[in-house]
Amino acid sequence: MRPSVLGLLLASASLVGCANQQAASPTSAVPGTPNGTATAPLETQPQLAVARPVENPNGRWVSAATSSDFMLAGSSQQSFGVFIDVPEGAKQGHVPTSLTLAVDTSGSMRGDKIIHARDAAHRLVQSLHDGDRLSIVTFADRGRVRMSPIIIDGSSRRTALAVIEELSADGGTAMFEGLKVAESQMWSTPDTHLVRRLVVISDGKATEGPTSPEELGRVAEVGLSKGIQVTSVGVGLDYDETTLNALAIRSSGRLYHVEHSEQLPGIVEREVALLESTAAADVKVELVAAPGVQLLGTDTAQVQWTTEGMIIPVGAVFEGQQRELLVQARVDNAVEGTKVLASVRLHFRDPGEDGLQRVQETILRATVTNDASLVAAHTDSRTQTLIAMREASLFAQQASAQANLGDLDRADRELARAEKTLQAQAARTHNEADKARVLRSAAGIAGKRKSLKKAAKAPAPARAKASRQVSLELNDAAMDAFGY
């Protein structure tokens, strides 16, 4: 049985002493951050923006590094980072896109929320290129196709805008059926449309049909097998963040938290801008273990196990994007000398070459030694920073859960652990860019601790709302640091 993702993350956190408004956003290509929150407790810059200058050897976008250039002889568990660095200028123009918009039209969306959702949908339709593919689905008591897939041109664009204008809100929230119906609209997407995105806007919890995050996440996972990624937009304070987390992770998609519905149009514009900067589609990271190495898993990413190792679907990537994966492996009976650990391969379809399948490869190696001082003296700053950021993100997610339960004291203790982890990493690293990144995150944590203390002092009627708001911001930032 494979170790759980959370177990692997906690294991990686334990290795740190011995030896990462938000979710997928570009650098200068798009102003602001993708998430609706004003600040991020773990990063003031989006996690997927390039956090440090990175050289791409031989033009490769993929690289990997162990937590130290050296490892001890014998058997041990190792952490290593896999990094996808897409250079600026990598996009080759507009990539034909197939997009389905799924809007929650349950009763809780009445009033300003449905008005702003319609405005957001209008802007989405206006931003699509002629030749793109669009369908519209709503879900209340059931899932309903409002517009079957059409190719965008002048006439069909007007049709889509008219359909959106008629959307109203009433009934329950059949999210499961809505997701299934929405995904089905993209099953027949032609191979020419390499970008396939399902945008879900909802303000509440699933109340009709299957409602568990596991069941809803499984729908997103099925879609990923067809290249469909889910962008989830949670509006207000009442949506189920566990479900939206699952949709993002299981589809290698994105998550946005929007406290006020008037932020919806801006969020949709940013999402479209990300799609417009697509540099490659159907991206997958394949890891093939060397003899004597057992791959154990990766952090908060959907993994497909193979006889030789594992494949991690990443989906579409955009110019300037940085994607980081923390991988755990067991190395058995290593002897002194150079040790090959894995082949790390980046598979993708190149829009600039008519969707041609391409592969880039890097070989991960370490030097085996009996001298523990060499291991300590030759740590890799980027991987160690990734480990520290991931550990802090876990603490932030745990703090989110405690704040949601109203235990603000315990939430603060978790954030204190996150802040301490980041400050310790900042003290260890000699890379100025990594140090600055960690210190920004530590400062963000300190800011959220102030928010928790303020919420704790709020009058009883307002305390629950303040706790919920901080909880969602913490979850949102943790998901951002995980790459979503």
Side-chain angles (χ1 to χ4, degrees), residues 15 18-19 66-78 292 330-337 339 341 366-377:
L15 294 173
C18 301
T66 49
S67 57
S68 172
D69 296 335
F70 289 80
M71 58 182 289
L72 288 175
S75 298
S76 61
Q77 184 169 318
Q78 297 291 324
R330 179 168 180 80
V331 181
D332 292 321
N333 304 316
V335 296
E336 286 187 281
K339 173 64 179 174
L341 299 174
T367 301
V368 180
T369 180
N370 286 306
D371 187 348
S373 66
L374 286 175
V375 178

Side-chain angles (χ1 to χ4, degrees), residues 1-20:
M1 182 175 178
R2 301 288 183 185
S4 70
V5 168
L6 182 58
L8 289 167
L9 281 167
L10 292 174
S12 71
S14 69
L15 294 173
V16 175
C18 301
N20 134 343

